[in-house]
């Protein structure tokens, strides 16, 4: 199977303040900004040449990202691997006994299909799988 590192997800308390460092001080370029209602977050992507940095700010104190922030504080949240066929990848992982957060793909940033693998099955890393151009 081929997979490409798509982005690194970082939870922040305050998106605007995070951009003061990553955009204004470091000089990185914002490539997209949107609200993802399903995940109750505001998301800003910053380009770095290859994989991008994805900053996540919760819009709801009960969202998964808000709970992460309460438990762990701001910082590294997930890595995202782009795959060609997300459904086939999930099937393959299930066959290997991997614990999934999402049993089937759901809608992510930019209309992509995504699914999360449980960190318990990925050595403490929350792994997001993404298919950019869903066929169905
Ligand atoms: Co992500």
């Amino acid at each position: 199977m081929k997979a490409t590192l798509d982005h690194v997800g970082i939870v922040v308390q305050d998106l605007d303040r995070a951009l003061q460092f990553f955009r204004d001080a470091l000089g990185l370029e914002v490539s997209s900004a949107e609200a993802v209602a399903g995940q109750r977050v505001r998301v800003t992507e910053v380009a770095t040449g290859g994989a991008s940095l994805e900053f996540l700010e919760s819009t709801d104190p009960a969202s998964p990202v808000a709970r992460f922030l309460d438990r762990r504080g701001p910082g590294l949240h997930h890595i995202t691997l782009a795959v060609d066929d997300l459904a086939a990848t999930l099937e393959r992982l299930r066959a290997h006994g991997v614990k999934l957060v999402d049993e089937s793909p759901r809608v992510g940033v930019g209309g992509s299909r995504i699914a999360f693998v449980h960190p318990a099955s990925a050595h403490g890393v929350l792994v997001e799988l993404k298919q950019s151009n869903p066929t169905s």
Side-chain angles (χ1 to χ4, degrees), residues 6-10 39 43 45 54 56 77-80 109 114 116 128 130:
D6 183 84
H7 67 264
V8 173
I10 297 162
Q39 292 174 58
V43 180
E45 299 245 5
E54 178 187 77
L56 305 156
H77 180 257
H78 65 273
I79 65 163
T80 300
V109 175
I114 62 152
F116 283 95
E128 177 183 30
K130 171 180 167 180

Side-chain angles (χ1 to χ4, degrees), residues 5-6 9 11 18 23 26 36 40 47 52 59 80-81 88-89 102 111 115:
L5 182 62
D6 183 84
V11 167
R23 180 193 58 203
L26 267 181
V36 181
R40 289 166 286 168
S52 56
T59 57
T80 300
L81 299 172
T89 303
D102 300 302

Side-chain angles (χ1 to χ4, degrees), residues 51-128:
S52 56
L53 303 179
E54 178 187 77
F55 297 99
L56 305 156
E57 181 198 76
S58 172
T59 57
D60 174 346
S63 73
V65 163
R67 292 203 310 271
F68 176 90
L69 194 57
D70 287 345
R71 279 198 322 269
R72 312 264 296 265
L76 184 60
H77 180 257
H78 65 273
I79 65 163
T80 300
L81 299 172
V83 298
D84 290 337
D85 187 338
L86 181 52
T89 303
L90 294 178
E91 221 162 279
R92 179 196 169 98
L93 292 173
R94 261 192 296 270
H96 281 79
V98 169
K99 189 176 173 190
L100 302 172
V101 174
D102 300 302
E103 289 295 333
S104 54
R106 57 187 168 94
V107 177
V109 175
S112 61
R113 296 292 173 83
I114 62 152
F116 283 95
V117 178
H118 199 284
S121 281
H123 304 266
V125 179
L126 179 59
V127 176
E128 177 183 30

